[in-house]
DNA sequence: CTGAAAGCGCTTACAG
DNA sequence: CTGAAAGCGCTTACAG
């Protein structure tokens, strides 16, 4: 059992009120008293009891983060960004991951009451309206990579649409017309936006659309590639909507003896660290995930602090002034698309 | 603002004590009363206030998880396992990541007081003795992949040593003697254990040791490979102590026109999902990370519940009966080491 | 500058 | 089966 404020007070010969004041730097305290108390605090290794403080201040210094069932780098990176800026702001992060079913999501959201000062919800499966019932406008909330149209909450998302368009245009610029798309999981917002970008770009080019199902996994990319290879008229380029699938696809192409990029050009999305270290290095759309996490947390904390000060924040304050931000992507051209043929790692070219 | 227990009590025409009883299924309540209260709870969407409950029960239903600054799949997987079993047990997870400096670690550990019922600390940089000062024997604590010798806490670790030995022996079995090792970051426990496994195995074979520095990144593997290639007498096999480095290494070999596995055989560690989809597919040591997380959380929760019931648990109960568990690894043989030459994905062979 | 006391929202003996 | 009351460890007006 650790010490309580009462024990500190007794040991320092003061009231708990005074101890509280020096702990929180609130109210005036005689310098000598302050030092005496500080000394006792250190000696007793006293740390205020979180729950007690939460109860009286009605704030928890923690934010809840709900993440879907995601694998790989993305998850790590986004947490890294979220956690770093949370800590800098003096907040803790309560995570809950692997929410594929809506019911689970609801349960967790409920359980968080009184435990968090705000919420970051990443829900590529569920649109904002589906979440609405479980979200409270009185709790600062930020939607991440979520279909957020018409929701009263602020949101941040990656420019999936723009990134996908850029990739298609780049491939088209290299002379490709038969550009196939390996899709992401059904009902996934990121995947759908990338698909939309592809479609619009293809339409603008007057090129034939050409899609095959996928699921964001290497295995899925592999299977999709096999399907494409079985086609009478093969595509001249393949755009996998994430790098994992692009890598699975590349494996299938190599297995089939198809030269990349000579026979089929290849592009991915996400620009995971491994992308530049496969052969040929993978052209991809770069997304700064950690930055996404940082930005999201910064916005949420601003909303929380703003709400505390009665400032209108647009973060679940029910004022309808919900902010919506989009994080830009960047096309990174490497050898897999044929543009940088023979180029080495050093030859990375970035097109904003 | 959400409803409080008092409002529920008033609306149901009972005392708060009775409401509390039905909420917690403690004590007897007339069926009719129970139903009336349940109805009000639902109507008001009442959820008990976490902090208040924590304060009176002196338990938080949350466990803290401290993770080092790790990237990639590992992080996601371990969280997935931890979170899944925590939720199943009715616990929340407070994560804090990116602890590279000891000071940071201390600060976070302090801040967690009164916020968690137990702790999982993954600290490959710091040994248990370094953590000792910041850990309390009165708080159930489990050390993950941490140099835990002589600590009063329970611990779980991956069998890095055994996995590395298995890899070396396998390579040796294929006729290799000049087996180079690409090391992990200095002072990293996992890396050191893998190194130790390599050394012992090489010594047992009477083969010459042969190590070069690395840092667990693709880039580090790339650089290490360049060093090895510059050697007058090149190794005939390279064992990178993680897959990311193996992939960077493979890239360098290919760039230099060295055939894998014909000229140089290659092995990694971790068996990340991508391992089987690179060319050639990577022989690696498989670790079930999600399982590691599940096991760790299960042990911790048992310790927490046990402590609650006064049972001796060996999880930071100060009784010196600290349990130490090791999660086995599995060698997965693919084409990169030359054993499965010409084999396809389907040709994965697993040697326990 | 300092202290006594109320109150945050719960749970839990203790009575009845 | 049910309720009144104490208490968990804090913070914060309110007095002095």
């Amino acid at each position: 059992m650790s010490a309580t404020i009462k024990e500190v007070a007794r040991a320092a010969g003061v009231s708990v009120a005074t101890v509280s004041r020096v702990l929180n730097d609130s109210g005036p305290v005689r310098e000598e008293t302050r030092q005496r108390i500080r000394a006792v605090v250190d000696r007793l290794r006293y740390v205020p009891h979180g729950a007690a403080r939460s109860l009286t201040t009605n704030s928890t210094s923690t934010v809840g983060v709900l993440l879907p069932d995601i694998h790989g780098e993305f998850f790590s990176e986004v947490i890294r960004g979220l956690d770093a800026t949370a800590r800098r702001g003096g907040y803790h992060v309560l995570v809950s991951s692997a929410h594929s079913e809506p019911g689970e999501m609801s349960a967790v959201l409920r359980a968080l009451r009184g435990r968090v000062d705000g919420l970051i919800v990443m829900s590529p499966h569920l649109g904002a309206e589906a979440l609405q019932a479980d979200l409270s406008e009185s709790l600062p909330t930020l939607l991440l990579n979520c279909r957020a149209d018409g929701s009263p909450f602020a949101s941040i998302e990656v420019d999936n649409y723009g990134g996908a368009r850029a990739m298609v245009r780049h491939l088209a610029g290299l002379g490709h017309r038969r550009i196939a798309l390996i899709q992401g999981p059904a009902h996934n917002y990121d995947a759908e936006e990338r698909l939309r970008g592809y479609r619009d770009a293809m339409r603008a080019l007057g090129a034939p659309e050409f899609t095959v199902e996928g699921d964001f996994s290497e295995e899925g990319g592999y299977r999709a590639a096999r399907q494409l290879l079985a086609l009478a008229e093969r595509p001249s380029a393949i755009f996998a909507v994430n790098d994992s699938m692009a890598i699975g696809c590349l494996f299938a192409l190599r297995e089939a003896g198809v030269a990349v990029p000579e026979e089929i050009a290849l592009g991915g999305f996400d620009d995971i660290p491994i992308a530049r270290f496969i052969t040929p290095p993978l052209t991809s759309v770069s997304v700064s995930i950690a930055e996404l996490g940082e930005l999201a947390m910064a916005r949420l904390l601003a909303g929380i602090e703003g709400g505390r000060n009665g400032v209108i924040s647009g973060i679940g304050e029910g004022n309808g002034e919900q902010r919506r931000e989009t994080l830009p992507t960047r096309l990174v051209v490497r050898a897999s698309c044929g543009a940088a043929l023979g180029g080495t790692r050093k030859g990375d070219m970035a097109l904003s």
Side-chain angles (χ1 to χ4, degrees), chain A residues 137-188:
Chain A
E137 294 196 24
S138 63
L139 186 69
T141 300
L142 187 134
L143 270 22
L144 204 55
N145 274 19
C146 190
R147 212 183 322 279
D149 8 319
S151 104
F153 303 107
S155 66
I156 298 185
E157 55 185 88
V158 167
D159 183 17
N160 288 303
Y161 176 80
R165 275 185 62 172
M167 176 63 82
V168 173
R169 289 162 138 176
H170 175 70
L171 292 169
L174 296 173
H176 294 285
R177 298 259 313 161
R178 297 187 54 75
I179 304 171
L181 185 87
I182 303 181
Q183 296 182 239
H187 311 304
N188 178 287

Side-chain angles (χ1 to χ4, degrees), chain A residues 105-130:
Chain A
M105 199 86 160
S106 299
V108 173
L109 247 10
R110 290 289 183 80
L112 255 32
R113 185 208 155 202
R115 296 183 176 281
V116 299
D117 294 344
L119 227 40
I120 289 181
V121 179
M122 179 159 163
S123 168
H125 309 294
L126 269 40
E129 69 285 8

